């Protein structure tokens, strides 16, 4: 061998320190439930300090409240007053989606924001009833009790809210926040868009002044109900009022979108619409001409409703089921909203604290005549644009709603339902985002399918079916990715010692006598046989292509294992079978860059003795340097 032609230094693959079963289990549980290491700040602290830290952990207001000042309060005051002007008409309108009287919407925006302000970790989320959850709650409750004017219906609403709070609280206490991440963003977008279309179509009842309207939510039933009453059910006075204010709201929304400094126009437009339309109906007595009005909003603060909750009887089961489903939808929406604005302002959002706050506020809400509340996208966006600094803006909003309940609810008597329908339509149409759907199509066809499946499930069947489809497609995607992982044939990039996917790098050359393949997934019972068969098929195809060529017959199969984070007993067994199949073909199995967990299991299973320790390499280039010249 000439001077300078020495082989490169070949490093052996290291074996990680041996861990006991308890150490491994403890590590896994810590990563699942305590990845954020929440107890680290309590170490080496005195008892009194631990108490203070514990109090701040449960009630973050005691942490950031120490540095609160008058300037911050001024910003929060302006933001709170702005979202209050938006939330009052929204609350009255959203209560109708849940088939509840208007004052229950106002009750919800009084109690729950106060609780959240003390326990929540988001600076921007504005709490209250939201359109999608209100519709979901209304449709599921009416499936159980069709007479939504009955007292049992109201009791079931409080029961569902209570168990929704219990569900959210339990997820926070058990630190199971990661469960809501199993529903993909694409499926959520489809579900929200479908629900928005459904809600908007249902508002045609109020917008057109139709008295007899279907209770179903699917688009076919709704449109049949609309067109069947064209000649005798529509009220032109109602249509004029509704369309006029719908145009006004859309114009203000357009102006605010074009000029961010004028965001307040869209924020106060709903309240202006309510005031003007109420005054117009009052002076013209349009209600005498068939214009449907709110008529009565109960005055005063929330009465206790703890005794109204079903803790036994035939409605307990439905209450729990509806509560769990609604809780997950509410959490998903709140998590998406909270994370969005936390990223914009560059602060961290504690998902488990959010669940604790949401759960506690809904439990307390269910005991004080509130129905299910969560983070509202429209109000949160206005809160952000208005310059909120902390959750005190929620407290300001809550106080304004309280004053409304005590002083001015009778003034809403003549508010036309057509205006409330217009407000809902304008709000929910913001959830329909065509650009996002187009982007999903370009990026990931499966995500697009998930989005469309959830969307069409909602508009053609029901909100619950749409939600079910969203969950099923999300899990189907996970299963598909786990059971059918990708593999890549590697070649050497010219002029380097780097090996990459030959499809991505067409100029990468394959090594004579060797076939290099990379497995892009952990190897478990769900995919081990597929991976083994996939490798053998690729090997057979490649061997057939090389027959008679200068690349010669394949003598070595190198499996690049850097993406393989873990392997179980089924995976080990699959590699044993792969080894035996290769022996029959007179092909040697070589492994490159297995990770620490994989190496530990290779040794524990004695698979490393079967393959041969001299055939385990730190990199593909080391394996090629060792065996390449022998091909």
């Amino acid at each position: 061998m000439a001077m300078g032609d020495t082989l490169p230094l070949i490093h052996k693959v290291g074996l990680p320190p041996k861990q006991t079963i308890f150490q491994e289990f403890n590590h896994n549980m810590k990563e699942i439930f305590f990845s954020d290491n929440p107890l680290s700040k309590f170490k080496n602290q005195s008892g009194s300090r631990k108490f203070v830290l514990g109090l701040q952990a449960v009630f973050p207001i005691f942490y950031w409240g120490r540095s609160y000042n008058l300037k911050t309060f001024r910003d929060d005051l302006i933001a709170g007053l702005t979202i209050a002007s938006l939330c009052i008409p929204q609350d009255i309108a959203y209560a109708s989606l849940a088939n509840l009287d208007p004052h229950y919407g106002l009750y919800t925006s009084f109690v729950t924001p106060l609780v959240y302000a003390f326990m929540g970790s988001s600076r921007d989320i504005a709490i209250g009833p939201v359109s999608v959850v209100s519709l979901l709650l209304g449709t599921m409750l009416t499936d159980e009790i069709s007479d939504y004017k009955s007292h049992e219906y109201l009791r079931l609403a409080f029961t569902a809210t209570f168990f929704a709070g219990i569900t959210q609280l339990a997820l926070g206490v058990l630190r199971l926040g990661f469960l809501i991440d199993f529903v993909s963003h694409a499926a959520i977008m489809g579900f929200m868009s479908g629900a928005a279309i459904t809600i908007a179509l249902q508002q045609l009842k109020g917008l057109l002044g139709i008295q007899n309207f279907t209770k179903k939510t699917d688009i076919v039933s709704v449109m049949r109900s609309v067109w069947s009453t064209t000649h005798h059910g529509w009220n032109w006075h109602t249509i004029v009022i509704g369309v006029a204010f719908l145009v006004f709201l859309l114009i203000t929304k357009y102006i605010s979108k074009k000029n961010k400094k004028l965001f307040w126009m869209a924020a106060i437009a709903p309240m202006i619409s309510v005031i003007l339309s109420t005054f117009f109906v009052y002076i013209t007595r349009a209600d005498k001409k068939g214009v449907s009005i709110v008529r009565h909003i109960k005055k005063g603060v929330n009465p206790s409703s703890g005794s109204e909750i079903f803790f036994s009887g035939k409605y307990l089961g439905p209450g729990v089921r509806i509560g769990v489903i609604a809780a997950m939808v509410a959490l998903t929406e709140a998590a998406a909203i909270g994370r969005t604005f936390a990223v914009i302002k560059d602060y961290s959002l504690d998902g488990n604290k959010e669940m604790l706050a949401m759960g506690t506020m809904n439990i307390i809400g269910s005991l004080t005549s509130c129905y299910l509340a969560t983070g509202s996208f429209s109000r949160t966006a206005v809160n952000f644009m208005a310059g909120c600094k902390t959750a005190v803006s929620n407290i300001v909003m809550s106080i304004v709603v309280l004053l409304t309940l005590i002083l001015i609810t009778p003034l809403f008597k003549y508010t036309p339902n057509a205006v409330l329908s217009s407000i809902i339509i304008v709000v929910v149409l913001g959830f329909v985002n065509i650009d996002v759907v187009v982007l999903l199509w370009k990026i990931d066809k499966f995500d697009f399918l998930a989005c469309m499946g959830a969307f069409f499930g909602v508009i053609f069947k029901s909100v619950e079916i749409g939600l079910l489809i969203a969950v099923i497609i999300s899990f189907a995607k996970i299963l598909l990715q786990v059971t059918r992982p990708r593999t890549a044939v590697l070649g050497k990039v010219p002029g380097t010692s780097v090996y990459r996917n030959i499809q991505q790098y067409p100029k990468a050359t394959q090594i004579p006598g060797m076939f290099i393949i990379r497995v892009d997934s952990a190897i478990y019972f769900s995919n081990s046989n597929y991976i083994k068969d996939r490798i053998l098929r690729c090997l057979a195809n490649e061997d057939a292509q090389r027959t008679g060529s200068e690349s010669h017959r394949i003598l070595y199969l190198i499996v690049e294992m850097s993406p393989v984070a873990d392997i179980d007993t089924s995976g080990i067994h699959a590699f044993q079978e792969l080894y035996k199949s290769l022996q029959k073909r007179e092909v040697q199995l070589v492994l490159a860059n297995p990770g620490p967990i994989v190496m530990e299991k290779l040794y524990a299973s004695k698979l490393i003795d079967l393959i041969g320790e001299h055939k385990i390499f730190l990199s593909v280039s080391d394996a090629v340097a060792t065996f390449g010249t022998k091909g």
Side-chain angles (χ1 to χ4, degrees):
M1 186 178 291
M3 188 73 69
D5 289 342
T6 58
L7 287 171
L9 180 63
I10 307 296
H11 293 278
K12 289 187 66 176
V13 178
L15 184 66
K18 185 69 177 175
Q19 284 191 320
T20 64
I21 294 177
F22 175 76
Q23 286 175 322
E24 189 173 342
F25 178 80
N26 184 54
H27 172 75
N28 290 336
M29 290 300 100
K30 184 178 178 181
E31 286 303 306
I32 293 172
F33 299 107
F34 301 98
S35 58
D36 55 345
N37 199 12
L39 301 179
S40 60
K41 59 186 177 183
F42 290 92
K43 288 183 179 178
N44 304 319
Q45 300 290 343
S46 63
S48 59
R49 181 58 182 164
K50 286 181 180 178
F51 174 77
V52 172
L53 291 172
L55 196 64
Q56 291 175 350
V58 178
F59 302 101
I61 194 171
F62 291 119
Y63 174 73
W64 53 259
R66 296 176 303 171
S67 57
Y68 201 74
N69 54 49
L70 195 59
K71 183 180 182 302
T72 306
F73 175 70
R74 185 192 65 186
D75 295 334
D76 286 337
L77 177 64
I78 294 171
L81 293 173
T82 307
I83 57 175
S85 68
L86 175 63
C87 88
I88 292 169
Q90 281 188 356
D91 291 342
I92 297 171
Y94 290 162
S96 67
L97 292 177
N99 299 315
L100 296 170
D101 291 332
H103 52 270
Y104 291 108
L106 293 172
Y107 287 166
T108 304
S109 276
F110 164 49
V111 173
T112 55
L114 281 178
V115 179
Y116 182 84
F118 280 83
M119 298 187 67
S121 60
S122 172
R123 305 171 194 169
D124 302 284
I125 283 183
I127 296 296
V130 297
S131 56
V132 174
V133 175
S134 297
L135 176 68
L136 178 64
L137 203 60
T139 53
M140 289 194 294
L141 291 173
T142 49
D143 285 343
E144 298 297 329
I145 303 175
S146 58
D147 182 12
Y148 55 80
K149 294 294 183 182
S150 67
H151 189 62
E152 283 73 19
Y153 182 91
L154 180 62
R155 292 186 64 187
L156 187 58
F158 293 148
T159 304
T161 301
F162 177 81
F163 285 106
I166 292 292
T167 302
Q168 294 169 335
L169 187 66
L171 289 173
V173 170
L174 299 175
R175 302 185 69 80
L176 298 175
F178 60 88
L179 290 178
I180 62 174
D181 293 329
F182 278 92
V183 182
S184 68
H185 175 71
I188 293 170
M189 288 300 301
F191 171 73
M192 296 289 283
S193 297
I197 297 294
T198 299
I199 293 168
L201 289 175
Q202 283 201 322
Q203 298 318 300
L204 293 175
K205 174 187 177 182
L207 199 67
L208 302 175
I210 301 171
Q211 296 299 319
N212 298 316
F213 201 75
T214 180
K215 293 181 180 179
K216 296 180 180 179
T217 60
D218 64 281
I219 189 172
V220 176
S221 299
V222 171
M223 295 313 297
R224 184 184 293 124
S225 188
V226 169
W227 293 118
S228 65
T229 58
T230 305
H231 299 295
H232 56 84
W234 294 15
N235 182 283
W236 73 267
H237 299 90
T238 302
I239 295 172
V240 169
I241 294 171
V243 172
F245 283 100
L246 178 62
V247 171
F248 169 70
L249 290 166
L250 288 172
I251 290 173
T252 56
K253 186 176 182 179
Y254 177 80
I255 294 172
S256 297
K257 194 173 181 180
K258 286 295 182 182
N259 189 342
K260 298 297 184 184
K261 292 182 179 179
L262 298 177
F263 72 91
W264 53 269
M265 289 185 66
I268 66 171
M271 182 58 80
I272 292 174
S273 299
V274 167
I275 293 170
L276 291 178
S277 63
T278 302
F279 180 70
F280 175 78
V281 170
Y282 177 73
I283 62 172
T284 62
R285 293 317 304 265
D287 57 308
K288 300 291 186 181
K289 300 173 183 177
V291 175
S292 176
I293 58 175
V294 172
R295 295 196 182 280
H296 176 69
I297 299 181
K298 189 175 179 181
K299 188 177 180 181
V301 296
N302 305 38
S304 173
S305 58
S307 60
E308 303 289 339
I309 297 172
F310 290 113
F311 289 109
S312 61
K314 66 176 183 178
Y315 291 123
L316 174 60
V320 174
R321 176 177 57 81
I322 295 169
V324 170
I325 295 171
M328 299 304 288
V329 175
L331 275 180
T332 303
E333 185 172 351
I337 294 167
R339 288 171 184 168
T340 299
F341 289 94
V343 168
I344 294 173
K345 285 192 175 179
D346 192 26
Y347 66 90
S348 60
L349 195 69
D350 190 321
N352 290 299
K353 282 184 181 178
E354 287 297 286
M355 290 182 181
L356 290 172
M358 296 279 175
T360 304
M361 78 181 190
N362 280 313
I363 291 171
I364 294 174
S366 69
L367 303 175
T368 54
S369 298
C370 303
Y371 76 97
L372 190 60
T374 188
S376 165
F377 184 81
S378 58
R379 272 177 253 181
T380 302
V382 169
N383 197 30
F384 172 80
M385 295 297 293
C388 74
K389 293 295 186 291
T390 69
V392 169
S393 59
N394 274 290
I395 298 175
V396 174
M397 177 186 71
S398 176
I399 293 171
V400 174
V401 173
L402 172 63
L403 294 175
T404 302
L405 282 165
I406 295 173
L407 301 175
I408 64 173
T409 49
L411 298 180
F412 292 108
K413 177 181 178 180
Y414 290 99
T415 300
N417 287 319
V419 168
L420 299 179
S421 295
S422 300
I423 292 169
I424 293 176
I425 290 172
V426 172
V427 170
V428 299
L429 288 180
F431 290 118
V432 181
N433 194 327
I434 304 298
D435 293 337
V436 170
V437 177
V438 173
L439 187 63
L440 289 175
W441 173 259
K442 291 178 180 178
I443 295 175
D444 192 313
K445 300 300 186 289
F446 205 100
D447 273 350
F448 176 79
L449 178 64
C451 180
M452 290 295 98
F455 176 79
F456 288 118
V458 172
I459 67 170
F460 283 109
K461 192 61 180 175
S462 67
V463 178
E464 303 101 293
I465 295 298
L467 180 63
L468 180 62
I469 291 173
V471 172
I472 289 173
I473 294 179
S474 295
F475 272 94
K477 182 179 181 180
I478 295 171
L479 287 174
L480 187 63
Q481 290 176 334
V482 170
T483 58
R484 294 294 182 267
R486 296 187 181 185
T487 56
V489 177
L490 306 185
K492 184 179 180 182
V493 178
T496 72
S497 61
V498 176
Y499 290 81
R500 291 292 183 265
N501 189 336
I502 60 173
Q503 289 186 335
Q504 186 177 4
Y505 298 91
K507 292 183 179 180
T509 57
Q510 298 195 55
I511 308 300
M514 308 188 96
F515 182 62
I516 308 167
I517 192 166
R518 186 183 69 219
V519 179
D520 291 337
S521 167
I523 304 174
Y524 294 129
F525 66 93
S526 57
N527 61 22
S528 56
N529 284 327
Y530 169 80
I531 290 173
K532 179 200 69 176
D533 294 340
R534 175 74 176 163
I535 291 174
L536 290 174
R537 281 199 304 271
C538 290
L539 177 65
N541 293 338
E542 187 66 28
D543 207 13
Q545 289 179 10
R546 294 191 189 185
T547 300
S549 70
E550 60 181 18
S551 297
H552 308 297
R553 189 175 71 81
I554 297 173
L555 300 176
Y556 295 93
L557 170 70
I558 302 177
V559 182
E560 218 281 42
M561 301 187 71
S562 55
V564 181
D566 198 0
I567 188 170
D568 66 2
T569 51
S570 297
I572 294 292
H573 183 67
F575 265 86
Q576 289 171 344
E577 292 181 347
L578 175 64
Y579 176 82
K580 293 174 184 176
S581 297
L582 293 175
Q583 287 293 298
K584 293 176 183 178
R585 291 172 168 83
E586 297 183 347
V587 177
Q588 300 298 311
L589 177 61
V590 179
L591 304 183
N593 197 21
I597 295 176
V598 175
M599 277 299 292
E600 185 178 335
K601 294 183 179 181
L602 290 179
Y603 271 98
S605 64
K606 304 288 199 248
L607 180 60
I608 204 159
D609 295 334
L610 183 67
I611 297 173
E613 192 169 352
H614 65 288
K615 293 179 185 174
I616 312 292
F617 292 90
L618 187 64
S619 67
V620 172
S621 60
D622 284 355
V624 172
T626 302
F627 296 116
T629 56
K630 300 176 184 180

